[in-house]
């Protein structure tokens, strides 16, 4: 079935360091890959996305890379700050109306 | 601009009581609407989605139901709540990525 594996489940970094979260998906027909950030007690919010015709996309300190051949996509956060601490979810859209979410990565940025 | 409203924000209900959570979207027409549930510290579980009025797709057999009486209104219901229905319920609208409502934290006691 359709699924996405997300690693690591927990990530702790020092402020200023980089953080990388990786996902592997199963559906080769997927063409849209969003990332969501969820702060404690709040709703998930879309922070960046990438489409299958692009290999990399960057928005200030965050970037996403996509390798369609290997079915991998990754979130990169540089110069991490304490406010980056949250749970991050990768996802991909199936060919229909559904979205498959990863299990989430809890990121701790230590000041 | 598009906005999504969800209420109530918090709800404490006894086992066996009914439930009705409402979600409305503004600024768009014929949206694809979704209900998700999130258990404490866990991921997002898709419950229902709707691509139009009266059209409901159920993803998980459960104690819940959904209805879409109007184009921009999506309702999540239960006739009799179970303890296991506790969680954080999120309504969402999808264009490219999702825009989530602010969520309802339901505690069944």
């Amino acid at each position: 079935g359709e699924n996405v594996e997300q690693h690591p489940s927990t990530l702790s970094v020092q402020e200023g360091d980089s953080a990388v979260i990786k996902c592997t998906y199963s559906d080769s027909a997927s063409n849209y890959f969003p990332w969501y950030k969820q702060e404690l007690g709040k709703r998930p919010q879309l922070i960046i996305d990438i489409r299958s015709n692009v290999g990399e996309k960057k928005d200030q300190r965050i970037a996403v890379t996509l390798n369609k051949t290997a079915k991998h996509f990754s979130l990169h956060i540089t110069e991490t700050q304490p406010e980056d601490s949250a749970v991050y979810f990768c996802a991909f859209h199936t060919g229909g109306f559904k979205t498959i979410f990863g299990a989430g990565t809890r990121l701790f940025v230590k000041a | 601009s598009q906005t999504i409203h969800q209420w109530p924000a918090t709800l404490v209900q006894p086992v066996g009581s009914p439930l009705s959570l409402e979600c409305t979207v503004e600024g768009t027409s014929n949206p694809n609407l979704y209900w998700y549930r999130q258990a404490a510290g866990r991921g997002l579980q898709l419950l229902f989605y709707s691509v139009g009025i009266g059209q409901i797709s159920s993803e998980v057999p459960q104690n819940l139901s959904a209805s879409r009486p109007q184009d921009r209104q999506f309702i999540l219901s239960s006739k009799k709540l179970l303890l296991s229905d506790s969680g954080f319920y999120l309504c969402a609208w999808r264009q490219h990525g999702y825009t989530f409502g602010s969520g309802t934290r339901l505690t069944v006691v």
Side-chain angles (χ1 to χ4, degrees):
Chain A
E2 299 157 331
N3 66 79
V4 58
E5 294 183 3
Q6 183 172 346
H7 300 281
S9 57
T10 305
L11 179 59
S12 184
V13 300
Q14 202 68 36
E15 183 179 2
D17 289 349
S18 295
V20 181
I21 302 169
K22 300 181 180 181
C23 288
T24 303
Y25 63 98
S26 61
D27 183 358
S28 59
S30 303
N31 58 14
Y32 180 72
F33 304 86
W35 285 88
Y36 296 86
K37 175 184 179 182
Q38 186 177 26
E39 297 177 355
L40 188 63
K42 298 188 177 180
R43 76 187 91 180
Q45 292 194 301
L46 178 69
I47 55 171
I48 196 167
D49 55 16
I50 192 167
R51 296 192 178 276
S52 58
N53 58 346
V54 176
E56 182 174 1
K57 183 177 178 180
K58 190 173 182 180
D59 182 4
Q60 299 182 354
R61 294 187 299 108
I62 60 173
V64 57
T65 59
L66 172 65
N67 182 332
K68 283 217 74 176
T69 302
K71 298 183 185 176
H72 292 165
F73 58 115
S74 300
L75 178 71
H76 305 253
I77 306 174
T78 58
E79 301 173 28
T80 53
Q81 301 169 2
E83 51 265 39
D84 294 328
S85 296
V87 178
Y88 291 82
F89 293 97
C90 66
F92 70 90
H93 286 195
T94 69
F97 296 100
K98 294 193 291 184
T99 298
I100 307 299
F101 284 90
T105 295
R106 190 171 297 277
L107 174 64
F108 297 96
V109 180
K110 297 176 287 186
Chain B
S1 62
Q2 300 89 2
T3 56
I4 182 166
H5 302 279
Q6 184 182 343
W7 65 93
T10 307
L11 199 55
V12 180
Q13 292 285 101
V15 170
S17 64
L19 173 74
S20 181
L21 302 181
E22 189 163 344
C23 172
T24 59
V25 181
E26 295 179 358
T28 186
S29 59
N30 197 30
N32 292 334
L33 297 175
Y34 300 76
W35 278 110
Y36 280 88
R37 178 170 62 198
Q38 189 174 34
R42 305 293 296 273
L44 295 157
Q45 179 189 28
L46 178 62
L47 301 176
F48 301 94
Y49 68 93
S50 172
V51 300
I53 296 174
Q55 300 179 62
I56 307 296
S57 295
S58 174
E59 287 299 303
V60 181
Q62 60 212 329
N63 187 40
L64 302 169
S65 62
S67 62
R68 185 154 174 191
Q70 300 180 41
D71 181 46
R72 287 171 280 183
Q73 184 184 30
F74 201 22
I75 298 172
L76 182 70
S77 304
S78 174
K79 292 183 179 178
K80 290 185 177 181
L81 285 168
L82 306 172
L83 287 174
S84 57
D85 292 324
S86 294
F88 190 44
Y89 288 80
L90 290 156
C91 178
W93 162 64
R94 192 184 105 174
Q95 185 178 34
H96 302 294
Y98 282 108
T99 298
F100 287 93
S102 53
T104 296
R105 193 162 304 280
L106 171 67
T107 304
V108 182
V109 297

